[in-house]
Every structure is written in C-alpha cells, then in structure tokens.
Amino acid sequence: MKRKLAYFLALCLLLGALGACNRTNQPPEETPEPTEKPQTIVKVPEPDQPPETMSETVNGEEVTLTLVSGSFQRTGGPDFSLYVDKNRYQVNDVDGCCYITTDEGSTYAEIGFRPETDAETLSAGFLGEYGNLQDSSDLGEQTLGSNTVRKLAGRTMDSAFEAFLLDTDGGCVTMVVCSSIGDMSPMSATATDAVRLVDALRTLTLS
C-alpha cells in the first residue's frame, strides 16, 4: 500500500514539473498597445499661463472676455479662437463641437466643422437637424465680425435658431445660436444671452 502511494506521489510530482516546464516555455502574452485618445476640441491652457483677456462694455457694465481656443484638425479643419465671457458662460466640447452655454443650458452657441462640404450644400437642410421647424429662411451672405458667412434663421415651437456657415479649406465651419423665442432680437432694451453669444461669434478667428 505504501509503495503504491509512493508511486502515486512521484507521478504527481512528475506531472507538476512537466506542467511548469510547459508554462515556462510558452511565449509571454502580448500586451495590447493603448489606443490613442482623441484630441479635445477646446484647448485647456497651461496652469502657469494666464489666459488672454480683453474688456468690453455691455449695458454700461465692463465685462472681461477670455480667449478660448480649439482645433478641428482631427477632422481636417482649422484651429479657431474667440472671446467668451467665462464668468457668464460655460465652455465645453461635446461630440466634436465647442459649446458655449448658460448654466441651465437652454441658450447656447455651438461651433462645429463639416469636412468636404460647403455653405451652399449645407444651407438647404442644415437647421432641420435641430428640430421640427415651424419656419426657416436663408438670409444669404452676411458679415459676422471679420468673416463672410451664410446666415440661416429658423424656429421650432419653443426655440429660435440662427446659423452661420463659414467656408474654409477642406470644409465648412458651422456656428449655431439657440435660444427661447424672442431672445434673438438685437432691439431688446438689454443684451440677451442670445445677442451676447452672437457677439462672441463675431470675434471668431481661424488659422
């Protein structure tokens, strides 16, 4: 009985040694290389570099505007920058677009880029992407700051939209301001958020 048990233990030891040998001779598993993270649209300034600012008077009040910059290079577009009142608005990037929003998010400006197209092609159905339009109009070429854009306007049941399409090499920069009905009018006694955001888009520069 003891002899059989000794044989059994020796066999177990031999099998264990062979298993360890096989594991030693196996090639190491390859570690997959980490995929490159997508570039962010809005560039975050370095902590030791104070942001560039400028002052503007709005309704008799001096407002500090901060330079915000970003890039559409990953989709073949240009770099961009504009001045934003960051004490009043939040700046984020979502799904490849730069968003400038109020705290509640009901009023916003969106800056995006559509590769391999132009304002003429986009103008026909562009605002239809933002909801069921009650009416819309193509206001043709206009000046927005230092840029010549194609302006569109439209509204749904509860929101008004202004869009500005800017042709560039390789595609079209799109700018949209969305607000509640009535906030778009520049004739208002006070500068509404919609008017302020259009003013921010007037400072847009491309490079």
Side-chain angles (χ1 to χ4, degrees), residues 172-183:
C172 184
V173 172
T174 63
M175 296 168 276
V176 179
V177 174
C178 171
S179 69
S180 300
I181 299 292
D183 286 351

Side-chain angles (χ1 to χ4, degrees), residues 126-137:
F126 180 74
L127 279 181
E129 299 177 13
Y130 292 82
N132 185 18
L133 298 178
Q134 303 298 304
D135 62 60
S136 62
S137 55

Side-chain angles (χ1 to χ4, degrees), residues 3-25:
R3 183 176 299 177
K4 290 183 178 180
L5 179 60
Y7 286 153
F8 177 74
L9 292 175
L11 180 60
C12 290
L13 290 173
L14 178 60
L15 291 175
L18 290 175
C21 182
N22 288 335
R23 287 193 297 270
T24 303
N25 292 333

Side-chain angles (χ1 to χ4, degrees), residues 21-43:
C21 182
N22 288 335
R23 287 193 297 270
T24 303
N25 292 333
Q26 288 178 353
E29 294 183 2
E30 294 184 3
T31 303
E33 295 183 1
T35 56
E36 183 180 354
K37 294 183 179 180
Q39 297 176 349
T40 183
I41 297 300
V42 178
K43 295 180 179 177

Side-chain angles (χ1 to χ4, degrees), residues 115-173:
E116 300 180 0
T117 189
D118 55 32
E120 177 72 25
T121 303
L122 285 177
S123 60
F126 180 74
L127 279 181
E129 299 177 13
Y130 292 82
N132 185 18
L133 298 178
Q134 303 298 304
D135 62 60
S136 62
S137 55
D138 185 339
L139 302 177
E141 284 195 351
Q142 296 192 15
T143 299
L144 184 69
S146 61
N147 298 307
T148 299
V149 299
R150 185 161 187 157
K151 182 178 179 179
L152 311 175
R155 66 180 180 88
T156 60
M157 287 291 293
D158 54 5
S159 297
F161 297 89
E162 285 186 354
F164 309 94
L165 307 179
L166 175 57
D167 285 330
T168 68
D169 291 339
C172 184
V173 172

